[in-house]
Amino acid sequence: MNIKITLPDNSVRDYPKGTNAMDIAKSISEGLARNVLAAKINGEVRDLMRAIDSDSTLQLLTWKDDEGKNTMWHSSAHLMAEALEASFPGIKFWVGPALSNGFYYDVDFGGRSFSSEDFKMIEDKMTELAKQNNPYIRKEITKSEATAYFTEKQDQYKLDLLSNLEDGTITFYTQGNFTDLCRGPHIPNTGVIKAIKLLNVAGAYWKNDSNNPQLTRIYGITFPKKQELDEYIVMIEEAKKRDHRKIGKEMGIFTFDDDVGPGLPLWMPNGAVIIEELERLAKKTELMAGYKRVRTPHIAKESMYLTSGHLPYYADSMFPPMEFDGERYYLKAMNCPHHHKIFKELNPSYRDLPIRLAEYGTCYRYEQSGELFGLMRVRCLQMNDAHIYCSKDQFAQEFNAVNDMYLKYFKIFGIEKYVMRFSTHSPDKLGKKYVNEPELWKETEDMVRQVLIDSNIPYVEVADEGAFYGPKIDVQVWSAIGREFTLATNQVDFAVPGRFGLTFRNANNEMETPICIHRAPLGTHERFIGFLIEHYAGNFPLWLAPHQVTILPISEKYNDYAKNVLQQLINSDIRGTIDHRDEKIGKKIREAEIKKIPYMLIVGEKEAEEGTVSVRLHGQGDQGSLKIEEFISKVQREVKSMLEV
Amino acid sequence: MNIKITLPDNSVRDYPKGTNAMDIAKSISEGLARNVLAAKINGEVRDLMRAIDSDSTLQLLTWKDDEGKNTMWHSSAHLMAEALEASFPGIKFWVGPALSNGFYYDVDFGGRSFSSEDFKMIEDKMTELAKQNNPYIRKEITKSEATAYFTEKQDQYKLDLLSNLEDGTITFYTQGNFTDLCRGPHIPNTGVIKAIKLLNVAGAYWKNDSNNPQLTRIYGITFPKKQELDEYIVMIEEAKKRDHRKIGKEMGIFTFDDDVGPGLPLWMPNGAVIIEELERLAKKTELMAGYKRVRTPHIAKESMYLTSGHLPYYADSMFPPMEFDGERYYLKAMNCPHHHKIFKELNPSYRDLPIRLAEYGTCYRYEQSGELFGLMRVRCLQMNDAHIYCSKDQFAQEFNAVNDMYLKYFKIFGIEKYVMRFSTHSPDKLGKKYVNEPELWKETEDMVRQVLIDSNIPYVEVADEGAFYGPKIDVQVWSAIGREFTLATNQVDFAVPGRFGLTFRNANNEMETPICIHRAPLGTHERFIGFLIEHYAGNFPLWLAPHQVTILPISEKYNDYAKNVLQQLINSDIRGTIDHRDEKIGKKIREAEIKKIPYMLIVGEKEAEEGTVSVRLHGQGDQGSLKIEEFISKVQREVKSMLEV
């Protein structure tokens, strides 16, 4: 008997019942069979070798797919565990998940020491085991058998995991000499893993609870090709040099303080310049695009978040309330409810739509202190936020305009690689994970997909990751050194406006609920500037550089002329400083180069007499002499051209 | 035996022991004796008729002095009580203080009704009693006598007040047939009160506690001249028309929402325009004046406010803390501690000073909900804040520059009447109300006074109202209709930088603590925009107007041309709208006039053909026809001239 397999291009093929994804891959091409890592069958990721017994949709996952990578890294964690167990017999394992870049395993070494000095030995052992090309074998097992197995091994960790599992859902996976309690899925065999690198070792409390003993967490990463690992290592090394925390401190961009609190950056003058320039760009761009600005408080009553639905579900990510006047007030974790209130007060008709309300609103989100990381994971978020309220007819055009704004920004910031990750709903979770509006889901998802296709923007579609109230787009960008960042999220919201009772009078004189697009193309200042520091390695382009120009007098005799030049720069909205120290000009130039200031202006007797400046460009040397006003025009022209893309 | 009386001009005169201030006034001039209301003797305000027994400083207070007004209004409250008691025998009185504009008395009418319809009767009775020219007679009385008196009257209110007073400190005041428990001081007699107006009547819970019965609070105001009352009534009527809450709502500037909370304004698009323009002005002005911008979070740990000294003393004015991670976090009520942290991180040398850190920081202060009033008394304050860190040598110049900035702003906003209220310390409260640094107090007060004198800024000096850590200047301004507002406060701080361990390396290579000047010339957006709405009666000047231009097509045929004009305006950073309704041009013009939009551009066939616009100015009518680009230059020129004062 045959079953029908529907492939992603909607072609349908017949296969005998009980076939598996690997066989299907082989039937398509040998090359595909060599590269395939796992299969997505009816939306669920599975082992390639599992039998398929009924008509199904099938996507073959390779290294290009996040879920393909994920599967390989999870299997690599098992491989590392096998190598560790071979080298340290009797050690115990807790959990070993895949991460967005690699994997880890938490290990109880039973008092024995393990350090990065042991990495080489384990990597070698993993390579040896990988070459054995051992299959990952799945076995369904009863709870009592599994319990007996781990009781025999005296493995309290796996017994603890088992205690939370239901009989009938339990599986073991075995590769080579290593067997693990695991839900899977896994790659077909260890031979796929061609390049291995252990990255880090750290202490981690069992179950993330500081009352429990510490386990040893070992991080690693693997690749299907040696060359990819080499590139990855280069990128990691470069990323270390460009670490935004290091450069941010050196350049006086931001700092943290114990009395203020973790995750709450203080923006130093040089960082505030970058913030002000980003806001100037955003405000100008939004003004030209027909946005209106608003300002809203950073707090609101509990009732607002009960209406929006953020409470009680999102309470863990919000700061705890302040209680007074018999009310609970919360720091806002998002700006939308405040904007909804303003939309309501505007009480618009269809002629006033779309209404685009923009605010650089600062939101506060509670993150576990262990999760905080430089500017990338913070508790204070200055968002390039706006909410667009429109009718269904206007949606495609508005959504398209938002995408255009992204593309404009990508050009300005030299972001060459990006992808829109389009998250949709899952029909079987309507009314649970997703608001129960099947028609609206289909309609808006179709509209979003069509805009993405029409505008030729690279995108991937991910089922079952939408927001509660509509489809979502995460914007992934890659920095100049090839590291991936999630910069911003767009959401289409066809549910919450109704909860707030938002309406507009339509052309038929009826009250209609608008759709709301949540968008923040520049994300938050915190994450975006963190990204830019790495992206530019601190060499900010002229328009963003904290100091655009430094004036270097040849000797103290010319300090007055330097001041005169500086005042002219300031009057022309150009950011300059003077190095008025009694130092040799060579030293001044070297230090200005280290500070990454785009322009150096050397001034001495000749310049003071002629009203000129000797121009040096960072990293490029002497550019000749210019009249002050010529230099000012040049800088203004360059800044303008950088922003008019 | 004679005593020495030192007058405010430092002249010293001899008088017999036991003289009183009224006699001294008479000895100076009959005119002064007619106008004097009370006396400030050794810093304490007293009745004119009290005997002076030892060498003293003396200031004779008239209607020009706040304390003179205050005394008269307090006496007027007694006069009103006398009139009320005469008209409603047996009523009881709680307290009757002076206010910044007038006075009130809380009355228990024992079930009888009192309404604004009774005002005329009471005013007439007060006038009659005033004309009797009854003296206010002070009598020291023992607690038991006073208790007997009010027990006999069955007056539980005054008995309640008495219960909190100490024997030996209790005084009665009597004028005509009315006797009150009162600390005084009072004017010499009722004849000084020439013009009387009752303003309002409202319920007020006894002791401000909603569990207590309600009393009737009657507000009034009095003047020493009939003409002043007439002017006051005109101003109040005009102020009602210009009520910022009314105009703010009509013009879509701000709104409040129950789910956000009282005292937390939401700024609508038209209000956000004003905010953005004010910030643009402030940022440009501060940039030119050598300020650096910073950005800081809205929260900080308790430890920060313990260091600054705001906790525990200022806790009542702060929002209650949020507790997490075993810490208490507070919403910031001021930006200084955050800025101090940034100064510390900058770790400057004397060559880097002065350092001027500016931020439009939003602070949160808890005000009782009954105290909240439109934009004037709010819980969310967007402050035009900055802190200037300088050495003592730099102080006068920096303080002077701050004053210059005020003067510049006064010109831009057409503020013609202003006064700096300079609050100093009181030597006998050093170590209690004031930080115990007698030398620094003297030095900084002398510096501030000298700058005020040198710069010819009108100022009044008020002893014993300084901040804990240094002298303070409150900037009082008068709106176009003559209402007084406290706009901003400057503070000189020579104590807190030390508490934060702030230092700079001075020219002698020693660590020195800087002085800090707190300044906020534009105050908060909330209060300043509230003031501006009244000041301009909503007719914002061109540069600040939410809509600068409205385009009025003669018919729908010219809507496209109107759009073309609008785009050119937007490209030139001019704020415009189109009235694209199918209405007669006369109606469009009338409505644009009501909306107070500075420029109306009428466009029809002729304009569309010639690329011109027919210009009308709000309230001024037709201004002739201009090419679009000419109109744009005209607007840009006008805006520029308004800001370059």
Side-chain angles (χ1 to χ4, degrees):
Chain A
M1 205 181 97
N2 275 359
I3 55 170
K4 292 191 183 304
I5 299 294
T6 307
L7 296 173
D9 63 358
N10 284 324
S11 66
V12 179
R13 297 188 181 206
D14 281 7
Y15 289 95
K17 183 174 172 180
T19 187
N20 65 42
M22 180 55 101
D23 289 336
I24 297 173
K26 280 180 185 155
S27 79
I28 297 172
S29 88
E30 272 304 318
L32 181 57
R34 269 198 308 278
N35 287 319
V36 69
L37 296 169
K40 198 166 187 175
I41 297 165
N42 298 326
E44 188 196 346
V45 183
R46 288 194 176 189
D47 301 331
L48 288 171
M49 312 308 285
R50 280 182 72 181
I52 307 175
D53 292 327
S54 57
D55 294 353
S56 299
T57 63
L58 171 71
Q59 183 190 355
L60 294 165
L61 300 167
T62 70
W63 185 249
K64 285 178 189 147
D65 302 294
D66 285 350
E67 288 150 322
K69 283 198 180 72
N70 197 290
T71 305
M72 178 154 122
W73 284 332
H74 183 196
S75 300
S76 301
H78 282 228
L79 183 68
M80 179 172 77
E82 184 182 4
L84 286 165
E85 195 170 53
S87 310
F88 300 90
I91 58 173
K92 304 270 163 53
F93 297 94
W94 173 232
V95 291
L99 301 170
S100 56
N101 272 297
F103 57 86
Y104 71 75
Y105 219 125
D106 281 347
V107 186
D108 180 349
F109 277 92
R112 275 170 288 177
S113 76
F114 183 87
S115 76
S116 55
E117 288 174 17
D118 300 309
F119 283 1
K120 177 74 172 59
M121 174 185 70
I122 299 300
E123 285 166 2
D124 289 349
K125 185 71 187 170
M126 285 173 76
T127 305
E128 177 195 325
L129 294 166
K131 283 185 179 156
Q132 293 174 4
N133 209 13
N134 296 318
Y136 286 83
I137 299 161
R138 181 177 186 274
K139 183 184 171 193
E140 293 178 3
I141 191 165
T142 65
K143 190 161 179 169
S144 62
E145 284 171 324
T147 305
Y149 178 84
F150 286 115
T151 305
E152 158 110 39
K153 285 190 78 177
Q154 296 187 302
D155 189 334
Q156 70 276 26
Y157 296 106
K158 298 293 175 182
L159 287 170
D160 185 278
L161 287 177
L162 259 177
S163 67
N164 295 312
L165 299 180
E166 270 179 44
D167 207 358
T169 67
I170 299 168
T171 49
F172 275 11
Y173 274 85
T174 302
Q175 94 276 9
N177 290 316
F178 182 75
T179 294
D180 207 346
L181 172 70
C182 180
R183 191 171 284 145
H186 283 283
I187 55 178
N189 57 63
T190 58
V192 179
I193 303 168
K194 302 288 194 206
I196 296 161
K197 173 104 184 139
L198 299 196
L199 297 169
N200 199 7
V201 56
Y205 290 108
W206 183 43
K207 296 184 177 180
N208 205 19
D209 179 343
S210 59
N211 297 314
N212 286 337
Q214 268 207 342
L215 302 174
T216 303
R217 180 168 294 176
I218 309 170
Y219 292 88
I221 195 164
T222 58
F223 294 89
K225 284 185 186 157
K226 172 82 170 54
Q227 190 195 335
E228 290 193 57
L229 174 60
D230 293 345
E231 287 168 3
Y232 178 78
I233 290 170
V234 169
M235 185 192 80
I236 291 295
E237 289 303 312
E238 187 58 31
K240 265 187 206 160
K241 283 187 222 153
R242 293 175 177 226
D243 188 323
H244 78 276
R245 294 166 302 172
K246 182 172 146 279
I247 294 179
K249 171 124 190 122
E250 285 165 5
M251 291 185 71
I253 291 174
F254 67 96
T255 188
F256 288 97
D257 186 278
D258 280 346
D259 285 333
V260 177
L264 299 168
L266 292 162
W267 292 90
M268 309 280 290
N270 287 348
V273 167
I274 299 171
I275 287 182
E276 292 286 330
E277 286 297 328
L278 291 176
E279 293 196 2
R280 183 144 70 162
L281 170 66
K283 287 178 182 179
K284 176 90 180 165
T285 305
E286 287 160 4
L287 177 74
M288 303 298 280
Y291 289 64
K292 290 172 192 297
R293 305 205 75 77
V294 296
R295 290 277 179 114
T296 64
H298 300 90
I299 59 175
K301 284 189 198 166
E302 182 178 38
S303 56
M304 180 119 114
Y305 300 109
L306 290 169
T307 302
S308 71
H310 289 106
L311 288 179
Y313 309 107
Y314 193 72
D316 283 352
S317 296
M318 293 174 74
F319 280 64
M322 292 164 280
E323 298 202 35
F324 56 92
D325 295 354
E327 301 271 359
R328 288 160 179 249
Y329 283 78
Y330 282 86
L331 268 176
K332 68 177 171 187
M334 63 294 300
N335 299 303
C336 23
H338 285 87
H339 292 187
H340 295 340
K341 290 291 187 179
I342 288 179
F343 178 89
K344 197 165 191 176
E345 175 73 14
L346 287 170
N347 188 25
S349 92
Y350 72 100
R351 284 176 179 275
D352 304 311
L353 259 51
I355 286 177
R356 311 175 189 94
L357 300 180
E359 177 174 34
Y360 250 107
T362 305
C363 297
Y364 287 82
R365 293 190 185 158
Y366 181 74
E367 302 266 1
Q368 296 289 338
S369 57
E371 303 290 317
L372 298 171
F373 178 73
L375 293 177
M376 286 298 154
R377 209 62 182 271
V378 290
R379 289 174 169 171
C380 169
L381 303 96
Q382 300 177 66
M383 274 195 204
N384 172 229
D385 214 354
H387 296 91
I388 300 170
Y389 303 85
C390 62
S391 67
K392 254 185 247 171
D393 294 348
Q394 295 166 326
F395 175 80
Q397 189 180 341
E398 288 304 307
F399 190 73
N400 203 28
V402 168
N403 277 332
D404 284 349
M405 200 179 277
Y406 273 99
L407 297 180
K408 176 186 157 157
Y409 288 141
F410 291 159
K411 271 194 200 157
I412 288 175
F413 293 102
I415 295 170
E416 287 167 5
K417 186 176 171 192
Y418 52 85
V419 67
M420 303 257 177
R421 202 181 141 85
F422 171 33
S423 298
T424 59
H425 77 302
S426 173
D428 56 327
K429 292 179 188 160
L430 284 169
K432 283 168 287 186
K433 189 171 165 191
Y434 304 108
V435 61
N436 195 6
E437 298 273 8
E439 287 302 309
L440 280 172
W441 276 104
K442 189 173 169 350
E443 215 172 331
T444 48
E445 285 176 4
D446 286 349
M447 287 193 288
V448 170
R449 194 179 297 106
Q450 202 55 49
V451 171
L452 289 169
I453 291 167
D454 290 348
S455 57
N456 259 323
I457 292 179
Y459 80 98
V460 292
E461 190 165 329
V462 196
D464 197 18
E465 292 195 4
F468 175 70
Y469 45 69
K472 180 177 95 165
I473 288 187
D474 292 305
V475 182
Q476 318 278 111
V477 302
W478 279 258
S479 73
I481 57 168
R483 272 225 303 173
E484 185 181 353
F485 291 80
T486 299
L487 211 60
T489 299
N490 292 342
Q491 291 173 357
V492 184
D493 179 349
F494 48 76
V496 180
R499 299 177 67 133
F500 274 86
L502 306 190
T503 54
F504 63 96
R505 190 169 291 278
N506 70 17
N508 301 324
N509 210 20
E510 300 153 347
M511 300 318 283
E512 189 177 323
T513 301
I515 296 180
C516 175
I517 303 172
H518 306 236
R519 47 107 281 177
L522 297 178
T524 66
H525 282 322
E526 289 73 19
R527 180 170 286 224
F528 192 60
I529 293 175
F531 164 81
L532 289 180
I533 292 172
E534 169 174 313
H535 186 57
Y536 294 129
N539 290 299
F540 285 96
L542 185 60
W543 72 277
L544 261 187
H547 300 290
Q548 298 174 308
V549 179
T550 181
I551 305 166
L552 312 178
I554 299 249
S555 81
E556 293 199 334
K557 274 201 326 203
Y558 308 107
N559 280 354
D560 280 348
Y561 179 62
K563 272 185 204 164
N564 177 318
V565 173
L566 181 63
Q567 194 56 53
Q568 293 186 59
L569 295 179
I570 291 174
N571 294 347
S572 308
D573 209 8
I574 296 171
R575 297 181 292 274
T577 54
I578 301 174
D579 184 347
H580 43 45
R581 294 172 306 164
D582 185 17
E583 295 286 358
K584 289 259 163 54
I585 189 70
K587 183 170 179 189
K588 290 186 180 183
I589 291 173
R590 277 194 306 279
E591 293 190 5
E593 289 283 353
I594 290 170
K595 285 186 188 159
K596 302 169 179 174
I597 300 174
Y599 279 109
M600 289 152 270
L601 302 183
I602 294 154
V603 296
E605 187 162 357
K606 183 162 164 292
E607 288 79 12
E609 268 172 20
E610 295 174 353
T612 59
V613 289
S614 264
V615 182
R616 285 184 72 94
L617 191 56
H618 172 53
Q620 316 252 339
D622 186 29
Q623 308 285 305
S625 175
L626 286 177
K627 290 266 178 203
I628 300 173
E629 50 278 18
E630 286 171 346
F631 174 73
I632 288 173
S633 308
K634 176 182 160 71
V635 169
Q636 288 176 332
R637 228 164 32 235
E638 285 177 12
V639 166
K640 205 171 166 211
S641 76
M642 287 174 170
L643 296 176
E644 283 178 358
V645 292
Chain B
M1 206 183 95
N2 274 359
I3 54 170
K4 290 193 184 301
I5 299 296
T6 308
L7 297 171
D9 63 358
N10 283 324
S11 67
V12 180
R13 297 188 181 206
D14 281 5
Y15 289 94
K17 183 173 170 180
T19 188
N20 65 42
M22 181 55 101
D23 289 336
I24 296 174
K26 280 182 184 154
S27 80
I28 296 172
S29 87
E30 271 305 315
L32 181 57
R34 269 197 308 278
N35 289 318
V36 68
L37 296 169
K40 200 166 187 176
I41 298 166
N42 299 325
E44 187 196 347
V45 183
R46 288 196 176 186
D47 302 330
L48 288 171
M49 312 308 285
R50 280 180 73 181
I52 307 174
D53 291 326
S54 57
D55 293 353
S56 299
T57 63
L58 171 71
Q59 183 190 355
L60 293 165
L61 300 168
T62 70
W63 184 248
K64 286 180 188 144
D65 302 294
D66 285 350
E67 289 150 321
K69 282 196 179 72
N70 197 289
T71 305
M72 180 153 121
W73 283 334
H74 183 196
S75 299
S76 302
H78 281 229
L79 183 67
M80 180 172 76
E82 185 183 3
L84 286 165
E85 195 172 52
S87 310
F88 300 89
I91 57 173
K92 303 272 162 54
F93 297 94
W94 172 233
V95 291
L99 301 170
S100 56
N101 273 297
F103 57 86
Y104 71 75
Y105 219 124
D106 281 347
V107 185
D108 180 349
F109 277 93
R112 274 169 289 178
S113 76
F114 183 87
S115 76
S116 56
E117 288 174 17
D118 301 309
F119 282 1
K120 176 75 171 58
M121 173 186 69
I122 300 300
E123 286 167 0
D124 289 348
K125 184 74 189 170
M126 285 173 76
T127 305
E128 177 195 326
L129 295 168
K131 282 186 180 153
Q132 293 174 4
N133 208 12
N134 296 319
Y136 286 84
I137 299 161
R138 181 175 186 273
K139 181 183 172 195
E140 293 177 4
I141 191 165
T142 65
K143 190 162 180 170
S144 61
E145 283 170 326
T147 305
Y149 178 85
F150 287 114
T151 304
E152 158 111 38
K153 285 189 79 175
Q154 295 187 303
D155 189 334
Q156 71 276 26
Y157 297 105
K158 298 294 175 182
L159 288 170
D160 185 278
L161 288 177
L162 259 178
S163 69
N164 295 312
L165 299 180
E166 268 178 46
D167 206 358
T169 66
I170 300 168
T171 49
F172 275 12
Y173 274 85
T174 303
Q175 94 276 8
N177 292 316
F178 182 74
T179 294
D180 206 348
L181 172 70
C182 178
R183 192 170 284 144
H186 283 281
I187 56 178
N189 55 63
T190 59
V192 179
I193 302 170
K194 303 287 193 205
I196 296 162
K197 173 107 183 138
L198 300 198
L199 297 170
N200 199 8
V201 56
Y205 291 108
W206 184 42
K207 294 183 178 180
N208 205 19
D209 179 342
S210 59
N211 297 315
N212 286 337
Q214 269 207 342
L215 302 174
T216 301
R217 180 169 294 176
I218 308 170
Y219 292 88
I221 195 164
T222 57
F223 294 89
K225 283 186 187 158
K226 172 82 168 55
Q227 190 195 335
E228 288 193 58
L229 173 60
D230 294 344
E231 286 167 6
Y232 179 77
I233 290 170
V234 168
M235 186 192 79
I236 291 295
E237 289 305 312
E238 187 59 31
K240 267 186 203 159
K241 283 187 222 153
R242 295 176 176 224
D243 188 323
H244 79 276
R245 295 166 302 172
K246 181 173 147 278
I247 295 179
K249 170 123 190 123
E250 285 165 5
M251 291 185 71
I253 291 175
F254 66 96
T255 188
F256 288 97
D257 186 278
D258 279 347
D259 285 334
V260 177
L264 299 167
L266 293 162
W267 292 89
M268 309 281 290
N270 288 349
V273 167
I274 299 171
I275 287 181
E276 292 286 330
E277 286 298 327
L278 291 176
E279 292 195 3
R280 182 143 71 162
L281 169 66
K283 287 177 181 178
K284 175 89 179 167
T285 305
E286 287 159 5
L287 176 74
M288 302 298 278
Y291 289 64
K292 291 172 192 297
R293 305 205 76 76
V294 297
R295 288 277 179 115
T296 64
H298 300 91
I299 58 175
K301 284 189 198 165
E302 181 179 39
S303 56
M304 181 119 113
Y305 299 109
L306 290 170
T307 301
S308 70
H310 288 107
L311 288 178
Y313 309 107
Y314 193 71
D316 284 351
S317 297
M318 292 175 75
F319 281 62
M322 293 164 280
E323 297 202 37
F324 56 93
D325 295 354
E327 300 272 359
R328 288 160 179 246
Y329 283 78
Y330 283 85
L331 268 177
K332 67 178 170 186
M334 63 294 299
N335 298 302
C336 24
H338 285 87
H339 292 188
H340 295 341
K341 291 291 187 179
I342 288 179
F343 178 90
K344 197 165 191 177
E345 176 73 14
L346 287 170
N347 189 25
S349 91
Y350 71 100
R351 284 176 178 275
D352 304 311
L353 259 49
I355 286 177
R356 310 174 190 95
L357 300 180
E359 177 175 31
Y360 250 109
T362 305
C363 297
Y364 287 82
R365 292 189 185 160
Y366 179 75
E367 301 267 1
Q368 296 289 336
S369 57
E371 303 288 318
L372 298 171
F373 177 73
L375 293 177
M376 286 298 154
R377 208 62 182 270
V378 290
R379 288 174 171 172
C380 169
L381 303 98
Q382 300 177 65
M383 271 194 207
N384 171 229
D385 214 355
H387 296 91
I388 300 171
Y389 302 85
C390 63
S391 67
K392 252 185 250 174
D393 294 348
Q394 294 166 328
F395 175 80
Q397 190 180 342
E398 288 305 307
F399 190 74
N400 204 26
V402 168
N403 277 332
D404 284 348
M405 201 180 277
Y406 272 99
L407 297 181
K408 176 186 157 157
Y409 288 142
F410 291 159
K411 271 194 199 157
I412 288 176
F413 294 102
I415 294 170
E416 288 167 5
K417 184 176 172 194
Y418 51 86
V419 67
M420 305 257 177
R421 200 181 142 85
F422 170 34
S423 298
T424 58
H425 77 302
S426 172
D428 56 326
K429 292 179 187 160
L430 284 170
K432 285 168 284 186
K433 188 170 167 192
Y434 304 108
V435 61
N436 195 6
E437 297 274 7
E439 286 303 309
L440 280 170
W441 276 104
K442 187 172 172 351
E443 216 173 330
T444 48
E445 286 176 3
D446 286 349
M447 286 193 289
V448 169
R449 193 179 298 107
Q450 201 54 50
V451 171
L452 288 170
I453 292 167
D454 290 349
S455 57
N456 261 322
I457 292 179
Y459 80 98
V460 291
E461 190 165 330
V462 195
D464 198 18
E465 292 196 5
F468 175 69
Y469 46 69
K472 181 177 95 165
I473 287 186
D474 291 305
V475 182
Q476 318 278 110
V477 302
W478 279 258
S479 74
I481 57 167
R483 272 225 303 173
E484 185 180 353
F485 291 79
T486 300
L487 210 62
T489 299
N490 292 344
Q491 292 173 356
V492 184
D493 179 350
F494 48 74
V496 180
R499 298 177 68 134
F500 274 85
L502 306 189
T503 54
F504 64 96
R505 190 169 290 280
N506 69 19
N508 301 324
N509 210 21
E510 301 153 346
M511 299 320 281
E512 190 177 323
T513 301
I515 295 180
C516 176
I517 303 172
H518 306 238
R519 46 108 281 176
L522 298 177
T524 66
H525 283 322
E526 289 72 20
R527 181 171 284 225
F528 192 60
I529 293 175
F531 164 81
L532 289 180
I533 292 174
E534 169 173 314
H535 186 56
Y536 295 130
N539 291 299
F540 285 96
L542 185 61
W543 72 278
L544 261 186
H547 300 289
Q548 298 174 308
V549 179
T550 181
I551 305 168
L552 312 179
I554 298 248
S555 81
E556 293 198 337
K557 275 202 323 203
Y558 308 107
N559 280 354
D560 281 348
Y561 179 63
K563 272 185 205 163
N564 176 318
V565 173
L566 181 63
Q567 194 56 54
Q568 293 186 61
L569 295 179
I570 292 174
N571 294 348
S572 307
D573 209 8
I574 296 171
R575 298 181 292 275
T577 53
I578 301 175
D579 185 347
H580 42 45
R581 295 171 306 163
D582 184 17
E583 296 285 358
K584 290 259 162 52
I585 189 69
K587 184 171 179 188
K588 289 186 182 183
I589 291 173
R590 275 193 307 280
E591 293 189 7
E593 289 283 355
I594 289 169
K595 284 186 189 158
K596 301 169 179 174
I597 300 174
Y599 278 109
M600 288 151 271
L601 301 183
I602 294 153
V603 297
E605 188 160 356
K606 181 161 166 291
E607 287 79 13
E609 267 174 20
E610 295 175 353
T612 59
V613 290
S614 264
V615 182
R616 284 185 74 92
L617 191 56
H618 172 54
Q620 316 250 341
D622 186 30
Q623 308 285 305
S625 173
L626 286 178
K627 290 265 178 205
I628 301 172
E629 51 277 19
E630 286 171 345
F631 175 72
I632 288 173
S633 307
K634 176 183 160 71
V635 169
Q636 288 175 332
R637 229 165 29 236
E638 285 177 11
V639 165
K640 205 171 164 210
S641 76
M642 286 174 171
L643 297 176
E644 284 178 357
V645 293

